Amino acid sequence: MTTDVQARIEQLRGAIRHHQYRYYILDDPLISDAEFDALFQELQALEAAHPELRTDDSPTVRVGGVVSERFAKVAHPAPILSLGNAFSEDDLRAWRERIKRLLFPEQQAQLSYVVEPKFDGLTVVLHYEQGRFVLGATRGDGEIGENITPNLRTVRPLPLQIPVEDGSGFSAPARLVVRGEAYVEKAAFEAFNRRQEEQGERTYANPRNFASGSLRQLDSSITAGRPVKLWVYQIIELEGEPNPPQTHAASLAFLQGLGLPVSPHVRHFTDSEFDALVAYLDEFGQRRSTLPYEVDGAVVKVDSLALQRQLGFVGKDPRWAIAYKYAGEEAITTLLDIVLNVGRTGVVTPNAVLEPVAISGVMVKAATLHNEDYVRDLDIRVGDKVVVKRAGEVIPKVLRPVVELRTGAEQIWQMPAACPVCGQPLVRPEGEAATYCANNACPAQLVRAVEYFVSRGAMDIESFGYKQAELFVEKGFITDLADIYTLPWNEIAQLDGYKEKRIENLRAGIEASKNRPLHRLLAALGIRYVGSVVAELLMQRYSSLDELMDASAEDLSAIDGIGPRIAESVVRYFSLEPNRALVREFADAGVRVAEERAPRPAATSLPLAGLTFVVTGALPTWSRDEAHDFIKTHGGKATGSVSSKTNYVVAGENAGSKLTKAQELGVPVLTEAELRALAEG
Ligand code: IVH
């Protein structure tokens, strides 16, 4: 019996490793994610039932869970060297001349180079014994690193067993130690920080710190939830291989053959092609910002391993390799001032006012400074020369001050005690990174709240936007959200630019919004953690805002998809009298605050019963709401964030962080057509 189970377990592990390889390394899966999940779940179940058959190289081990007190030290088998830098073509040509002088003429003739990206991550050293991943360490001081094996086991692209592919023609070397770079993609980093920021938690300054922080957790289940990836680029030690590679290019091919993740952006140039190499460095530099991960340069390496050995190293830098650094998407400019921006929920963000500076063709004059701690930890002062970075579509940010350029006239900044707009005290709750203006009546918050209320995702009031919100709040026409429905039209007609036609459009838009589905009104209130999906879940359970207002946190948490944090936020909101009064004002103004409807039929017999979906990106024919309706009428549940409880993600064009998260968690991804097929059999 046990031997049958054991055989099945082996078979499943083999299949899972194979499919992970197809998915993570080749980017070319052979089976659907649902089929993959089925294999994975079967293996998990068998291992749970037969703990004696568990092994620490099983694919299921990647969920993490080992807690270590501190990291043990690991002596590297050979020094883990650093790299010298070249900042210009001249530096690079000087490097070439230097190494040529150290070689005999016949060796100079054989000289050729490999160029590869310089990944901006964290060096890791990985040990395989008889094909099994047995040890992984940080670089440390180059001689001794930290043992982070349990954390590295959770890194999805890192094979726990090589060769990954049976019949690949490669066999496991007796011993292999490789060097690589662990990193996090830019989009995954931004998404993580956004979530942290929303929850008032600490953010990471850049993807590199995020990768490094994630791998240096004492609890590997935390690492397992982080989207860390890997590229390997160097063999440190190889034993028991009859035909060991003799060049760097052959080493990369060898590593790739074993199923290890090797970058596809690798080019080979002979010495006589050095001009082409220089041109390639430029071209790669131009296109590097389109890569999903950060690349801060390119590394040029002498291809022949024999010549590498002969050239050796000086200090910690090998003579046979050099990093060509790109000037990049950063610029230095003066920080003129720090101003506060008050958001809809009252979060106050320090923003940098900059002496305008061009960064990759765009004038940048403002940048985010995140929060109070960011400014303090980096010791950013008003008047400082600061390094500003602009990458892709994201908001520019101040990376650090250039301390060497200080004149002494710089001013240390402190978070003001009062809101710059309403003058009321600012508060920073214990344990949170965010500072808030606690005054619900703060005009700045009100303007943002009105802007949100009328926006497309909420009450969708046409012809109404930030400008109108600002104007009407400033004129005193709007003092709370319900005032939108009792605007003094006579007075508005006196304002510049408010001609009859314009007023008509605005009134019609406001009128039309009175009949929106109840969940839209709830979402439009801007209660913390209550976005459109949560609002829908709540209004499926309650048919009026009055009912919802009187629900307890326990009642709310009992709803599928509503956790204690959301429940408490809703209860807190409706515990405040002005918010309850607001609902009454909406009702008085004729806005729908209750729904007449028959109870929903039991959904268990429907085709999507028991399944949870997240819709993301632009679908070919449906809007987000239409897709949600479709899912619900077929018995499924639609939620807003991807977690291990999500059964499917339905993704359209330009799907972003939710799709990435789904892929990381192994949640199957469907197209709109596949969702239809699933529901309609
Ligand atoms: S080769 C002796 N290749 O850059 C060989 N390093 O600034 C030295 N790095 O500590 C390393 N991408 O962590 C090499 N393709 C690449 C790399 C790379 C990133 C890192 C590495 C090193 C740092 C030096």
mmCIF file of all heavy atoms in Angstrom, residues 94-136:
data_model
loop_
_atom_site.group_PDB
_atom_site.id
_atom_site.type_symbol
_atom_site.label_atom_id
_atom_site.label_comp_id
_atom_site.label_asym_id
_atom_site.label_seq_id
_atom_site.Cartn_x
_atom_site.Cartn_y
_atom_site.Cartn_z
ATOM 1 N N ALA A 94 39.300 51.409 -21.786
ATOM 2 C CA ALA A 94 40.496 51.348 -20.942
ATOM 3 C C ALA A 94 40.596 49.968 -20.275
ATOM 4 O O ALA A 94 41.678 49.387 -20.164
ATOM 5 C CB ALA A 94 40.433 52.448 -19.886
ATOM 6 N N TRP A 95 39.457 49.447 -19.856
ATOM 7 C CA TRP A 95 39.423 48.102 -19.242
ATOM 8 C C TRP A 95 39.927 47.052 -20.246
ATOM 9 O O TRP A 95 40.749 46.198 -19.918
ATOM 10 C CB TRP A 95 37.986 47.792 -18.801
ATOM 11 C CG TRP A 95 37.747 46.361 -18.412
ATOM 12 C CD1 TRP A 95 38.144 45.775 -17.249
ATOM 13 C CD2 TRP A 95 37.072 45.352 -19.175
ATOM 14 N NE1 TRP A 95 37.757 44.453 -17.237
ATOM 15 C CE2 TRP A 95 37.100 44.174 -18.409
ATOM 16 C CE3 TRP A 95 36.445 45.333 -20.423
ATOM 17 C CZ2 TRP A 95 36.524 42.978 -18.847
ATOM 18 C CZ3 TRP A 95 35.867 44.146 -20.862
ATOM 19 C CH2 TRP A 95 35.912 42.985 -20.082
ATOM 20 N N ARG A 96 39.436 47.174 -21.482
ATOM 21 C CA ARG A 96 39.844 46.218 -22.517
ATOM 22 C C ARG A 96 41.364 46.272 -22.725
ATOM 23 O O ARG A 96 42.024 45.223 -22.819
ATOM 24 C CB ARG A 96 39.107 46.565 -23.806
ATOM 25 C CG ARG A 96 39.469 45.726 -25.004
ATOM 26 C CD ARG A 96 38.994 46.470 -26.238
ATOM 27 N NE ARG A 96 39.125 45.727 -27.464
ATOM 28 C CZ ARG A 96 39.063 46.306 -28.660
ATOM 29 N NH1 ARG A 96 38.876 47.623 -28.760
ATOM 30 N NH2 ARG A 96 39.182 45.586 -29.741
ATOM 31 N N GLU A 97 41.911 47.486 -22.776
ATOM 32 C CA GLU A 97 43.357 47.630 -22.979
ATOM 33 C C GLU A 97 44.125 47.025 -21.799
ATOM 34 O O GLU A 97 45.131 46.356 -21.983
ATOM 35 C CB GLU A 97 43.748 49.111 -23.150
ATOM 36 C CG GLU A 97 43.223 49.741 -24.435
ATOM 37 C CD GLU A 97 43.430 48.851 -25.663
ATOM 38 O OE1 GLU A 97 44.547 48.301 -25.817
ATOM 39 O OE2 GLU A 97 42.467 48.663 -26.447
ATOM 40 N N ARG A 98 43.599 47.246 -20.597
ATOM 41 C CA ARG A 98 44.258 46.715 -19.390
ATOM 42 C C ARG A 98 44.379 45.201 -19.462
ATOM 43 O O ARG A 98 45.443 44.639 -19.210
ATOM 44 C CB ARG A 98 43.452 47.098 -18.145
ATOM 45 C CG ARG A 98 44.054 48.235 -17.367
ATOM 46 C CD ARG A 98 43.483 48.438 -15.975
ATOM 47 N NE ARG A 98 42.084 48.118 -15.718
ATOM 48 C CZ ARG A 98 41.072 48.972 -15.870
ATOM 49 N NH1 ARG A 98 41.282 50.196 -16.339
ATOM 50 N NH2 ARG A 98 39.841 48.605 -15.567
ATOM 51 N N ILE A 99 43.278 44.545 -19.802
ATOM 52 C CA ILE A 99 43.374 43.080 -19.800
ATOM 53 C C ILE A 99 44.233 42.589 -20.957
ATOM 54 O O ILE A 99 44.970 41.628 -20.813
ATOM 55 C CB ILE A 99 41.996 42.367 -19.774
ATOM 56 C CG1 ILE A 99 41.091 42.828 -20.886
ATOM 57 C CG2 ILE A 99 41.330 42.508 -18.441
ATOM 58 C CD1 ILE A 99 39.741 42.125 -20.847
ATOM 59 N N LYS A 100 44.197 43.294 -22.069
ATOM 60 C CA LYS A 100 45.009 42.841 -23.204
ATOM 61 C C LYS A 100 46.495 42.865 -22.850
ATOM 62 O O LYS A 100 47.256 41.984 -23.262
ATOM 63 C CB LYS A 100 44.739 43.698 -24.432
ATOM 64 C CG LYS A 100 43.461 43.300 -25.155
ATOM 65 C CD LYS A 100 43.357 44.086 -26.409
ATOM 66 C CE LYS A 100 42.578 43.376 -27.468
ATOM 67 N NZ LYS A 100 42.524 44.164 -28.696
ATOM 68 N N ARG A 101 46.893 43.887 -22.104
ATOM 69 C CA ARG A 101 48.301 43.989 -21.713
ATOM 70 C C ARG A 101 48.751 42.792 -20.875
ATOM 71 O O ARG A 101 49.923 42.453 -20.836
ATOM 72 C CB ARG A 101 48.531 45.287 -20.904
ATOM 73 C CG ARG A 101 48.717 46.520 -21.789
ATOM 74 C CD ARG A 101 49.426 47.639 -21.031
ATOM 75 N NE ARG A 101 48.632 48.100 -19.884
ATOM 76 C CZ ARG A 101 47.656 48.998 -19.974
ATOM 77 N NH1 ARG A 101 47.339 49.540 -21.139
ATOM 78 N NH2 ARG A 101 46.996 49.373 -18.903
ATOM 79 N N LEU A 102 47.795 42.167 -20.192
ATOM 80 C CA LEU A 102 48.152 41.041 -19.321
ATOM 81 C C LEU A 102 48.153 39.704 -20.072
ATOM 82 O O LEU A 102 48.435 38.662 -19.492
ATOM 83 C CB LEU A 102 47.176 40.962 -18.141
ATOM 84 C CG LEU A 102 47.266 42.129 -17.149
ATOM 85 C CD1 LEU A 102 46.079 42.134 -16.209
ATOM 86 C CD2 LEU A 102 48.570 42.045 -16.359
ATOM 87 N N LEU A 103 47.788 39.725 -21.342
ATOM 88 C CA LEU A 103 47.683 38.467 -22.099
ATOM 89 C C LEU A 103 48.775 38.387 -23.165
ATOM 90 O O LEU A 103 49.252 39.407 -23.660
ATOM 91 C CB LEU A 103 46.310 38.373 -22.768
ATOM 92 C CG LEU A 103 45.101 38.393 -21.827
ATOM 93 C CD1 LEU A 103 43.810 38.414 -22.629
ATOM 94 C CD2 LEU A 103 45.123 37.203 -20.867
ATOM 95 N N PHE A 104 49.151 37.138 -23.500
ATOM 96 C CA PHE A 104 50.084 36.926 -24.601
ATOM 97 C C PHE A 104 49.367 37.217 -25.915
ATOM 98 O O PHE A 104 48.140 37.076 -25.991
ATOM 99 C CB PHE A 104 50.588 35.479 -24.602
ATOM 100 C CG PHE A 104 51.344 35.137 -23.347
ATOM 101 C CD1 PHE A 104 50.850 34.209 -22.437
ATOM 102 C CD2 PHE A 104 52.567 35.759 -23.070
ATOM 103 C CE1 PHE A 104 51.541 33.901 -21.277
ATOM 104 C CE2 PHE A 104 53.261 35.446 -21.914
ATOM 105 C CZ PHE A 104 52.750 34.520 -21.010
ATOM 106 N N PRO A 105 50.140 37.557 -26.958
ATOM 107 C CA PRO A 105 49.502 37.910 -28.234
ATOM 108 C C PRO A 105 48.539 36.825 -28.736
ATOM 109 O O PRO A 105 47.443 37.142 -29.196
ATOM 110 C CB PRO A 105 50.692 38.081 -29.189
ATOM 111 C CG PRO A 105 51.843 38.433 -28.301
ATOM 112 C CD PRO A 105 51.602 37.757 -26.989
ATOM 113 N N GLU A 106 48.925 35.533 -28.612
ATOM 114 C CA GLU A 106 48.025 34.491 -29.143
ATOM 115 C C GLU A 106 46.747 34.404 -28.300
ATOM 116 O O GLU A 106 45.676 34.046 -28.787
ATOM 117 C CB GLU A 106 48.723 33.129 -29.258
ATOM 118 C CG GLU A 106 49.184 32.508 -27.956
ATOM 119 C CD GLU A 106 50.577 32.996 -27.524
ATOM 120 O OE1 GLU A 106 51.024 34.073 -28.001
ATOM 121 O OE2 GLU A 106 51.203 32.314 -26.695
ATOM 122 N N GLN A 107 46.845 34.782 -27.016
ATOM 123 C CA GLN A 107 45.648 34.793 -26.168
ATOM 124 C C GLN A 107 44.760 35.986 -26.528
ATOM 125 O O GLN A 107 43.534 35.867 -26.553
ATOM 126 C CB GLN A 107 46.053 34.891 -24.695
ATOM 127 C CG GLN A 107 46.728 33.627 -24.202
ATOM 128 C CD GLN A 107 47.146 33.762 -22.759
ATOM 129 O OE1 GLN A 107 47.645 34.810 -22.343
ATOM 130 N NE2 GLN A 107 46.952 32.701 -21.996
ATOM 131 N N GLN A 108 45.423 37.126 -26.820
ATOM 132 C CA GLN A 108 44.647 38.314 -27.214
ATOM 133 C C GLN A 108 43.778 38.001 -28.427
ATOM 134 O O GLN A 108 42.649 38.460 -28.529
ATOM 135 C CB GLN A 108 45.584 39.474 -27.561
ATOM 136 C CG GLN A 108 46.301 40.019 -26.360
ATOM 137 C CD GLN A 108 47.204 41.185 -26.732
ATOM 138 O OE1 GLN A 108 47.094 41.747 -27.818
ATOM 139 N NE2 GLN A 108 48.103 41.535 -25.840
ATOM 140 N N ALA A 109 44.334 37.181 -29.317
ATOM 141 C CA ALA A 109 43.605 36.846 -30.540
ATOM 142 C C ALA A 109 42.348 36.029 -30.234
ATOM 143 O O ALA A 109 41.356 36.104 -30.953
ATOM 144 C CB ALA A 109 44.516 36.079 -31.495
ATOM 145 N N GLN A 110 42.405 35.259 -29.143
ATOM 146 C CA GLN A 110 41.247 34.408 -28.797
ATOM 147 C C GLN A 110 40.203 35.153 -27.973
ATOM 148 O O GLN A 110 39.143 34.602 -27.679
ATOM 149 C CB GLN A 110 41.686 33.249 -27.895
ATOM 150 C CG GLN A 110 42.578 32.230 -28.516
ATOM 151 C CD GLN A 110 43.223 31.392 -27.404
ATOM 152 O OE1 GLN A 110 42.782 31.400 -26.253
ATOM 153 N NE2 GLN A 110 44.274 30.684 -27.765
ATOM 154 N N LEU A 111 40.547 36.357 -27.560
ATOM 155 C CA LEU A 111 39.695 37.062 -26.606
ATOM 156 C C LEU A 111 38.291 37.306 -27.171
ATOM 157 O O LEU A 111 38.132 37.767 -28.300
ATOM 158 C CB LEU A 111 40.382 38.398 -26.289
ATOM 159 C CG LEU A 111 39.954 39.164 -25.058
ATOM 160 C CD1 LEU A 111 40.048 38.305 -23.808
ATOM 161 C CD2 LEU A 111 40.844 40.406 -24.919
ATOM 162 N N SER A 112 37.288 36.936 -26.386
ATOM 163 C CA SER A 112 35.916 37.308 -26.750
ATOM 164 C C SER A 112 35.142 37.578 -25.457
ATOM 165 O O SER A 112 35.613 37.246 -24.366
ATOM 166 C CB SER A 112 35.256 36.223 -27.591
ATOM 167 O OG SER A 112 34.999 35.084 -26.800
ATOM 168 N N TYR A 113 33.975 38.180 -25.616
ATOM 169 C CA TYR A 113 33.249 38.683 -24.445
ATOM 170 C C TYR A 113 31.792 38.238 -24.466
ATOM 171 O O TYR A 113 31.201 38.029 -25.527
ATOM 172 C CB TYR A 113 33.248 40.220 -24.427
ATOM 173 C CG TYR A 113 34.609 40.825 -24.616
ATOM 174 C CD1 TYR A 113 35.089 41.122 -25.896
ATOM 175 C CD2 TYR A 113 35.420 41.101 -23.527
ATOM 176 C CE1 TYR A 113 36.337 41.674 -26.081
ATOM 177 C CE2 TYR A 113 36.680 41.663 -23.700
ATOM 178 C CZ TYR A 113 37.132 41.946 -24.976
ATOM 179 O OH TYR A 113 38.367 42.489 -25.151
ATOM 180 N N VAL A 114 31.231 38.159 -23.267
ATOM 181 C CA VAL A 114 29.789 37.954 -23.132
ATOM 182 C C VAL A 114 29.229 39.180 -22.417
ATOM 183 O O VAL A 114 29.832 39.663 -21.465
ATOM 184 C CB VAL A 114 29.483 36.669 -22.333
ATOM 185 C CG1 VAL A 114 28.004 36.576 -21.989
ATOM 186 C CG2 VAL A 114 29.923 35.444 -23.131
ATOM 187 N N VAL A 115 28.109 39.678 -22.925
ATOM 188 C CA VAL A 115 27.439 40.807 -22.275
ATOM 189 C C VAL A 115 26.107 40.320 -21.735
ATOM 190 O O VAL A 115 25.366 39.629 -22.439
ATOM 191 C CB VAL A 115 27.181 41.956 -23.272
ATOM 192 C CG1 VAL A 115 26.468 43.120 -22.572
ATOM 193 C CG2 VAL A 115 28.482 42.422 -23.889
ATOM 194 N N GLU A 116 25.817 40.636 -20.502
ATOM 195 C CA GLU A 116 24.514 40.264 -19.932
ATOM 196 C C GLU A 116 24.008 41.370 -19.026
ATOM 197 O O GLU A 116 24.770 42.263 -18.640
ATOM 198 C CB GLU A 116 24.624 38.930 -19.189
ATOM 199 C CG GLU A 116 25.628 38.943 -18.065
ATOM 200 C CD GLU A 116 25.978 37.540 -17.569
ATOM 201 O OE1 GLU A 116 26.039 36.606 -18.376
ATOM 202 O OE2 GLU A 116 26.205 37.411 -16.355
ATOM 203 N N PRO A 117 22.720 41.359 -18.703
ATOM 204 C CA PRO A 117 22.177 42.431 -17.866
ATOM 205 C C PRO A 117 22.808 42.397 -16.482
ATOM 206 O O PRO A 117 23.179 41.333 -15.987
ATOM 207 C CB PRO A 117 20.689 42.096 -17.752
ATOM 208 C CG PRO A 117 20.402 41.097 -18.814
ATOM 209 C CD PRO A 117 21.680 40.384 -19.096
ATOM 210 N N LYS A 118 22.894 43.547 -15.870
ATOM 211 C CA LYS A 118 23.276 43.600 -14.467
ATOM 212 C C LYS A 118 21.973 43.757 -13.685
ATOM 213 O O LYS A 118 21.355 44.823 -13.685
ATOM 214 C CB LYS A 118 24.220 44.774 -14.212
ATOM 215 C CG LYS A 118 24.709 44.823 -12.778
ATOM 216 C CD LYS A 118 25.806 45.850 -12.638
ATOM 217 C CE LYS A 118 26.366 45.915 -11.240
ATOM 218 N NZ LYS A 118 25.387 45.893 -10.176
ATOM 219 N N PHE A 119 21.549 42.660 -13.097
ATOM 220 C CA PHE A 119 20.264 42.633 -12.395
ATOM 221 C C PHE A 119 20.410 43.353 -11.062
ATOM 222 O O PHE A 119 21.373 43.127 -10.336
ATOM 223 C CB PHE A 119 19.822 41.191 -12.148
ATOM 224 C CG PHE A 119 19.947 40.331 -13.365
ATOM 225 C CD1 PHE A 119 20.969 39.404 -13.474
ATOM 226 C CD2 PHE A 119 19.067 40.475 -14.419
ATOM 227 C CE1 PHE A 119 21.108 38.622 -14.608
ATOM 228 C CE2 PHE A 119 19.195 39.700 -15.558
ATOM 229 C CZ PHE A 119 20.225 38.779 -15.655
ATOM 230 N N ASP A 120 19.430 44.198 -10.753
ATOM 231 C CA ASP A 120 19.525 44.959 -9.512
ATOM 232 C C ASP A 120 18.778 44.208 -8.417
ATOM 233 O O ASP A 120 17.618 44.468 -8.145
ATOM 234 C CB ASP A 120 18.937 46.355 -9.723
ATOM 235 C CG ASP A 120 19.384 47.305 -8.635
ATOM 236 O OD1 ASP A 120 20.262 46.913 -7.837
ATOM 237 O OD2 ASP A 120 18.863 48.421 -8.586
ATOM 238 N N GLY A 121 19.466 43.251 -7.829
ATOM 239 C CA GLY A 121 18.815 42.448 -6.790
ATOM 240 C C GLY A 121 19.794 42.101 -5.699
ATOM 241 O O GLY A 121 20.622 42.923 -5.313
ATOM 242 N N LEU A 122 19.659 40.881 -5.231
ATOM 243 C CA LEU A 122 20.464 40.424 -4.095
ATOM 244 C C LEU A 122 21.200 39.161 -4.532
ATOM 245 O O LEU A 122 20.573 38.216 -5.022
ATOM 246 C CB LEU A 122 19.506 40.090 -2.953
ATOM 247 C CG LEU A 122 20.054 39.376 -1.735
ATOM 248 C CD1 LEU A 122 20.771 40.377 -0.851
ATOM 249 C CD2 LEU A 122 18.914 38.733 -0.951
ATOM 250 N N THR A 123 22.529 39.153 -4.370
ATOM 251 C CA THR A 123 23.299 37.966 -4.757
ATOM 252 C C THR A 123 22.942 36.778 -3.875
ATOM 253 O O THR A 123 22.869 36.919 -2.651
ATOM 254 C CB THR A 123 24.806 38.224 -4.593
ATOM 255 O OG1 THR A 123 25.199 39.165 -5.562
ATOM 256 C CG2 THR A 123 25.617 36.947 -4.800
ATOM 257 N N VAL A 124 22.728 35.632 -4.499
ATOM 258 C CA VAL A 124 22.532 34.405 -3.716
ATOM 259 C C VAL A 124 23.458 33.318 -4.249
ATOM 260 O O VAL A 124 23.798 33.301 -5.435
ATOM 261 C CB VAL A 124 21.062 33.919 -3.746
ATOM 262 C CG1 VAL A 124 20.171 34.864 -2.963
ATOM 263 C CG2 VAL A 124 20.555 33.738 -5.164
ATOM 264 N N VAL A 125 23.877 32.452 -3.370
ATOM 265 C CA VAL A 125 24.771 31.353 -3.728
ATOM 266 C C VAL A 125 24.025 30.061 -3.422
ATOM 267 O O VAL A 125 23.579 29.848 -2.290
ATOM 268 C CB VAL A 125 26.077 31.441 -2.912
ATOM 269 C CG1 VAL A 125 27.012 30.305 -3.279
ATOM 270 C CG2 VAL A 125 26.748 32.792 -3.153
ATOM 271 N N LEU A 126 23.843 29.243 -4.459
ATOM 272 C CA LEU A 126 22.973 28.075 -4.340
ATOM 273 C C LEU A 126 23.783 26.793 -4.491
ATOM 274 O O LEU A 126 24.548 26.655 -5.447
ATOM 275 C CB LEU A 126 21.900 28.135 -5.440
ATOM 276 C CG LEU A 126 21.202 29.490 -5.599
ATOM 277 C CD1 LEU A 126 20.362 29.519 -6.872
ATOM 278 C CD2 LEU A 126 20.324 29.774 -4.383
ATOM 279 N N HIS A 127 23.589 25.860 -3.574
ATOM 280 C CA HIS A 127 24.345 24.599 -3.602
ATOM 281 C C HIS A 127 23.421 23.441 -3.968
ATOM 282 O O HIS A 127 22.384 23.260 -3.338
ATOM 283 C CB HIS A 127 24.919 24.290 -2.221
ATOM 284 C CG HIS A 127 25.923 25.287 -1.735
ATOM 285 N ND1 HIS A 127 27.172 24.925 -1.301
ATOM 286 C CD2 HIS A 127 25.872 26.642 -1.613
ATOM 287 C CE1 HIS A 127 27.841 26.009 -0.912
ATOM 288 N NE2 HIS A 127 27.066 27.063 -1.095
ATOM 289 N N TYR A 128 23.840 22.669 -4.958
ATOM 290 C CA TYR A 128 23.117 21.446 -5.318
ATOM 291 C C TYR A 128 24.040 20.259 -5.104
ATOM 292 O O TYR A 128 25.193 20.280 -5.552
ATOM 293 C CB TYR A 128 22.684 21.487 -6.780
ATOM 294 C CG TYR A 128 21.535 22.447 -7.040
ATOM 295 C CD1 TYR A 128 21.782 23.798 -7.286
ATOM 296 C CD2 TYR A 128 20.218 22.009 -7.023
ATOM 297 C CE1 TYR A 128 20.740 24.687 -7.505
ATOM 298 C CE2 TYR A 128 19.164 22.894 -7.253
ATOM 299 C CZ TYR A 128 19.430 24.230 -7.494
ATOM 300 O OH TYR A 128 18.388 25.093 -7.710
ATOM 301 N N GLU A 129 23.536 19.225 -4.405
ATOM 302 C CA GLU A 129 24.291 17.981 -4.225
ATOM 303 C C GLU A 129 23.494 16.885 -4.899
ATOM 304 O O GLU A 129 22.319 16.700 -4.593
ATOM 305 C CB GLU A 129 24.427 17.631 -2.731
ATOM 306 C CG GLU A 129 25.064 18.700 -1.872
ATOM 307 C CD GLU A 129 26.595 18.588 -1.795
ATOM 308 O OE1 GLU A 129 27.147 17.718 -2.497
ATOM 309 O OE2 GLU A 129 27.193 19.383 -1.057
ATOM 310 N N GLN A 130 24.116 16.154 -5.782
ATOM 311 C CA GLN A 130 23.432 15.098 -6.540
ATOM 312 C C GLN A 130 22.099 15.619 -7.082
ATOM 313 O O GLN A 130 21.095 14.919 -7.075
ATOM 314 C CB GLN A 130 23.165 13.855 -5.659
ATOM 315 C CG GLN A 130 24.364 13.328 -4.907
ATOM 316 C CD GLN A 130 25.501 12.870 -5.832
ATOM 317 O OE1 GLN A 130 25.298 12.670 -7.032
ATOM 318 N NE2 GLN A 130 26.700 12.740 -5.294
ATOM 319 N N GLY A 131 22.089 16.843 -7.515
ATOM 320 C CA GLY A 131 20.883 17.392 -8.133
ATOM 321 C C GLY A 131 19.870 17.977 -7.165
ATOM 322 O O GLY A 131 18.859 18.527 -7.596
ATOM 323 N N ARG A 132 20.120 17.839 -5.866
ATOM 324 C CA ARG A 132 19.143 18.374 -4.908
ATOM 325 C C ARG A 132 19.622 19.705 -4.353
ATOM 326 O O ARG A 132 20.784 19.838 -3.973
ATOM 327 C CB ARG A 132 18.941 17.404 -3.743
ATOM 328 C CG ARG A 132 18.024 16.249 -4.105
ATOM 329 C CD ARG A 132 18.133 15.190 -3.050
ATOM 330 N NE ARG A 132 17.943 15.795 -1.731
ATOM 331 C CZ ARG A 132 17.043 15.379 -0.842
ATOM 332 N NH1 ARG A 132 16.259 14.360 -1.134
ATOM 333 N NH2 ARG A 132 16.940 15.969 0.327
ATOM 334 N N PHE A 133 18.697 20.660 -4.272
ATOM 335 C CA PHE A 133 19.038 21.947 -3.677
ATOM 336 C C PHE A 133 19.185 21.739 -2.169
ATOM 337 O O PHE A 133 18.238 21.370 -1.498
ATOM 338 C CB PHE A 133 17.939 22.974 -3.970
ATOM 339 C CG PHE A 133 18.151 24.283 -3.266
ATOM 340 C CD1 PHE A 133 19.265 25.058 -3.527
ATOM 341 C CD2 PHE A 133 17.231 24.737 -2.328
ATOM 342 C CE1 PHE A 133 19.470 26.264 -2.866
ATOM 343 C CE2 PHE A 133 17.424 25.938 -1.666
ATOM 344 C CZ PHE A 133 18.555 26.698 -1.933
ATOM 345 N N VAL A 134 20.403 21.935 -1.658
ATOM 346 C CA VAL A 134 20.639 21.629 -0.246
ATOM 347 C C VAL A 134 20.978 22.860 0.589
ATOM 348 O O VAL A 134 20.844 22.827 1.808
ATOM 349 C CB VAL A 134 21.779 20.589 -0.068
ATOM 350 C CG1 VAL A 134 21.345 19.236 -0.611
ATOM 351 C CG2 VAL A 134 23.066 21.059 -0.742
ATOM 352 N N LEU A 135 21.423 23.929 -0.057
ATOM 353 C CA LEU A 135 21.866 25.080 0.723
ATOM 354 C C LEU A 135 21.826 26.341 -0.139
ATOM 355 O O LEU A 135 22.191 26.303 -1.307
ATOM 356 C CB LEU A 135 23.314 24.830 1.196
ATOM 357 C CG LEU A 135 24.015 25.945 1.969
ATOM 358 C CD1 LEU A 135 23.364 26.152 3.322
ATOM 359 C CD2 LEU A 135 25.493 25.610 2.155
ATOM 360 N N GLY A 136 21.396 27.423 0.483
ATOM 361 C CA GLY A 136 21.410 28.706 -0.215
ATOM 362 C C GLY A 136 21.834 29.799 0.746
ATOM 363 O O GLY A 136 21.431 29.789 1.912
#
